[in-house]
Amino acid sequence: MAIREIREKGDEILYMVCKPVKNFDKKLGILLDDMYETMKSKDGVGLAAPQVGILKRAVVIDVGDGKIELVNPQIISSSGTQIGNEGCLSVPGVYGEVERPNEVTVRAQNRNGEFFEISGKELLARAFCHELEHLEGKLFLDRVIRFEEN
Ligand code: CO
């Protein structure tokens, strides 16, 4: 495994739409392993492939309950609302309040290409929404209601 460079706000790759993963090969496994190690090294709870310069629909999340890998993820249902502070490893030092659904269910593939569904509430639901938006070339900054004063 290796720690990869995190792309930061202003890097054009963060604003591009990612392509579906078609090959569930060793290279994908290495990417997911590296993404997880990179995220952990920065104390993050989620990281999307474009944040390490790869325009593929792959995400890793760990809000403290273990590693979740999402390949070609889609939100299939959501309910409720929550407002809470959000940050991003690609926008270091910036935090702001963002409204998100309180419960989200995602359908995705694992690193072997097998489909599964996963549901999350609160922080996990927030992480699903935040990371999946990276795959559409969107940063949370566009959604901030109020930036945190430092
Ligand atoms: Co982010």
Side-chain angles (χ1 to χ4, degrees), residues 46-47 51 87-90 130-131 134 139-140:
L47 193 72
Q51 294 183 273
C88 179
L89 292 177
S90 292
H130 178 115
E131 300 311 328
H134 274 297
L139 297 181
F140 83 108

Side-chain angles (χ1 to χ4, degrees), residues 20-21 24 57-59 61 68-78 103-111 113-120 124-125 128-129 131-132 135-136:
V21 172
F24 294 84
R57 304 187 80 85
V59 160
I61 290 170
I68 298 168
E69 296 178 347
L70 304 173
V71 179
N72 299 329
Q74 286 187 299
I75 291 174
I76 55 171
S77 69
S78 63
E103 288 191 56
V104 172
T105 299
V106 172
R107 177 172 158 83
Q109 285 165 281
N110 65 18
R111 62 168 66 197
E114 296 155 345
F115 284 93
F116 67 100
E117 289 182 14
I118 183 168
S119 297
L124 183 53
F128 286 152
C129 294
E131 300 311 328
L132 267 61
L135 305 182
E136 305 304 329

Side-chain angles (χ1 to χ4, degrees), residues 50-71:
Q51 294 183 273
V52 293
I54 305 293
L55 282 171
K56 294 281 184 186
R57 304 187 80 85
V59 160
V60 295
I61 290 170
D62 188 343
V63 296
D65 300 324
K67 177 168 67 174
I68 298 168
E69 296 178 347
L70 304 173
V71 179

